[in-house]
Amino acid sequence: MILPPSAQAKAKDPDEERLIGSCIHQASLGQPWLEKTLWGLRDQEAGWIGAEVANTNGSYDLGPLQINTWWAVRIAKLIGRPEAHVRHWLRFDPCFNAEAARWVFLTALRSTGNYWKAVGAYHSPTTWRQRNYVGSVAGHLSSRFGKAVFGL
């Protein structure tokens, strides 16, 4: 897929990557499988602090783990804060973004009861998009953690 220039990942800043990594570690709540999952999603999404990437449907993907603005309304209701604040935090607070990514993924996992379906649902409700996404995330997991990440 060819992305418009605004949707392409910017060069990675080592200090920013360390901060995002620390936030992913914190968001995983001490669960190694969840930390690896969040890294797989982060590597696939390739966002950055401050990212706001437009989608063709009018929504935006925000921050390092590219949380879609569709979730901002739900998160705002859940935590009792204005949607504008949530959108700002999703863009500029990498730990809030990683925690939101954890919530989105775990919500999908509870709903589907299947790890890979939850990975796909993190990206899209559309089955064919989920399949493509799952393959990409699996590749990122394998690249970052080796084939042993799959218990082989």
Side-chain angles (χ1 to χ4, degrees), residues 23 26-28 38 65 67 94-104:
C23 292
Q26 178 183 328
S28 71
L38 292 173
L65 283 107
I67 305 298
C95 289
F96 187 84
N97 187 274
E99 290 172 11
R102 176 194 67 220
W103 180 78
V104 169

Side-chain angles (χ1 to χ4, degrees), residues 19-115:
L19 177 57
I20 293 167
S22 174
C23 292
I24 286 172
H25 178 73
Q26 178 183 328
S28 71
L29 304 172
Q31 300 295 316
W33 69 271
L34 185 53
E35 184 168 358
K36 288 174 182 171
T37 301
L38 292 173
W39 272 113
L41 297 172
R42 192 275 185 275
D43 289 344
Q44 173 62 32
E45 295 296 340
W48 58 93
I49 297 170
E52 183 176 51
V53 179
N55 295 309
T56 57
N57 66 1
S59 68
Y60 291 85
D61 291 333
L62 307 174
L65 283 107
Q66 295 287 274
I67 305 298
N68 191 279
T69 51
W70 184 85
W71 290 103
V73 174
R74 285 144 194 84
I75 295 168
K77 286 180 184 175
L78 184 69
I79 66 173
R81 300 301 294 261
E83 182 186 348
H85 291 180
V86 169
R87 285 176 70 127
H88 179 82
W89 296 331
L90 287 171
R91 282 187 69 195
F92 296 105
D93 181 338
C95 289
F96 187 84
N97 187 274
E99 290 172 11
R102 176 194 67 220
W103 180 78
V104 169
F105 171 73
L106 291 177
T107 297
L109 185 58
R110 276 189 297 278
S111 139
T112 65
N114 179 286
Y115 178 85

Side-chain angles (χ1 to χ4, degrees), residues 118-132:
V119 168
Y122 180 89
H123 174 64
S124 172
T126 308
T127 304
W128 70 267
R129 286 188 173 134
Q130 290 176 359
R131 277 193 302 270
N132 293 342

